[in-house]
Amino acid sequence: MNCPRFVKPINVSFTKIPVGIKVPSTLSFSILTLIGLEKIYNAEDELILTIKHCVLFIQRGEYDKAEKLLHVALKQAQLMQHQSGITYVYDVMANLALQMEQLDKAKKLFVAVAQRVMGSGASEDDPRVVHINLKLARVCHLQKDYITAQLGYDWCLEKLNAQVDPSNDYKMLIAMAEDWYGRLFVECNKCEQGYKYMLSAYNRMRDFKDMEVAHIVVQLNDLGTVCEKMDNLDDSIKYISEAIELGKTQPDMEDLGIMYVNLGRAYMKKQLLTMARKNCGHALRLGILNKNSELKKEAELCMQEINS
């Protein structure tokens, strides 16, 4: 039997963005407000206009254009000798490389950002330093270097949990670290530990006022998939059902169909075949309607399993 699927995680966003600029969630967890670059936004200069255009290209998924323009922004920042600007451009480059799964490139860029931030006098406990190390741990995780990734996550959580009165930035970093760490454990077939971390991350994230609904939907679905792996089918059905109901409120929730497949498979495992057929059938209709061949294939496999 094919297992229920995680949907692609959405990176958490906590950076305060100036009015008029909307950064994609996968990039907005940057260190913009932590390094002082927000001061640039008070000046009408070519650098900020270039960065704005980079952000817009990224938002539209035009990554090649964004990458080329980021090199222009870097040259501008270097000519201005604006050290915070240079660091920020490197950080956006690193996040873009991570989003494009150019992992070796992302690692080199994040190391460069870390060196610049620590060179400016930041300590190990500084949220900027922890944030960058967390991203580096994530890169190692995606490269399946699980030992190095685990060391990185442990180090970050130790620094973050040592804060007596953590700010919202620290709390958001804790949530992200727990989420990624939990997913690592699941990938290593340690589902109980993974579930513990992912549930803690979810509970933290839903308390943030500015948390994107789409991210909560993803978290609920993925908690449901972990519960299915542990044969905790009632909780699996509960989480995935909540994800679907919340996902229906989001017009651009592309992964809703696969969540119906996941729910169908949970019902199938529980031997509730009528409900299983209903949900996988709905996923199949969505796949056909949206011309999504991958979803259609997943739903058809689900229906075949039910009928067999």
Side-chain angles (χ1 to χ4, degrees), residues 76-282:
Q76 290 176 331
Q78 289 169 337
L79 287 171
M80 294 170 61
Q81 296 187 345
H82 197 297
Q83 299 306 314
S84 294
I86 295 169
T87 304
Y88 176 55
V89 174
Y90 275 136
D91 187 55
V92 177
M93 285 179 167
N95 279 280
L96 178 57
L98 178 56
Q99 182 167 330
M100 297 172 69
E101 298 183 354
Q102 298 172 347
L103 300 179
D104 289 336
K105 181 178 179 180
K107 182 183 289 186
K108 290 178 183 178
L109 286 165
F110 279 126
V111 168
V113 175
Q115 291 172 340
R116 292 183 62 81
V117 171
M118 294 197 74
S120 68
S123 67
E124 283 190 349
D125 297 330
D126 192 296
R128 298 170 294 176
V129 176
V130 178
H131 163 251
I132 300 164
N133 277 281
L134 181 55
K135 285 291 182 71
L136 284 167
R138 177 61 173 169
V139 171
C140 293
H141 178 175
L142 293 174
Q143 291 177 323
K144 300 190 183 304
D145 181 0
Y146 293 129
I147 293 176
T148 304
Q150 183 171 1
L151 289 171
Y153 289 143
D154 280 334
W155 184 88
C156 291
L157 284 170
E158 179 184 351
K159 296 296 182 184
L160 292 166
N161 288 321
Q163 301 299 314
V164 177
D165 186 20
S167 65
N168 283 337
D169 289 347
Y170 277 109
K171 290 176 182 177
M172 187 63 77
L173 283 169
I174 293 171
M176 178 169 273
E178 288 179 335
D179 180 38
W180 286 346
Y181 204 5
R183 293 172 188 274
L184 183 149
F185 278 119
V186 173
E187 289 176 32
C188 294
N189 295 316
K190 297 180 180 179
C191 290
E192 290 187 3
Q193 289 172 279
Y195 174 74
K196 179 185 73 172
Y197 278 106
M198 289 176 67
L199 180 61
S200 178
Y202 165 71
N203 287 330
R204 293 179 192 277
M205 291 172 186
R206 67 180 183 178
D207 290 336
F208 290 111
K209 294 179 181 179
D210 297 331
M211 180 57 59
E212 296 176 4
V213 173
H215 188 86
I216 298 300
V217 173
V218 169
Q219 291 297 110
L220 285 166
N221 172 79
D222 293 355
L223 282 168
T225 68
V226 177
C227 287
E228 189 275 338
K229 289 176 181 287
M230 297 189 297
D231 289 327
N232 187 350
L233 300 178
D234 288 336
D235 280 347
S236 177
I237 290 168
K238 180 191 74 172
Y239 284 128
I240 300 172
S241 296
E242 287 180 20
I244 290 171
E245 289 306 309
L246 191 56
K248 287 177 182 177
T249 67
Q250 304 300 297
D252 299 322
M253 197 72 220
E254 295 179 357
D255 293 309
L256 193 61
I258 202 64
M259 295 179 194
Y260 276 107
V261 174
N262 288 345
L263 184 57
R265 286 183 173 142
Y267 276 120
M268 178 169 51
K269 198 169 182 180
K270 198 174 170 63
Q271 295 298 309
L272 297 174
L273 300 185
T274 300
M275 291 299 295
R277 194 173 286 109
K278 175 183 175 182
N279 283 282
C280 287
H282 189 67

Side-chain angles (χ1 to χ4, degrees), residues 32-33 35-41 47 51 82 84-85 88-89:
L32 172 60
T33 57
I35 61 176
L37 187 66
E38 69 275 11
K39 294 175 183 177
I40 292 181
Y41 282 85
L47 174 60
I51 292 174
H82 197 297
S84 294
Y88 176 55
V89 174

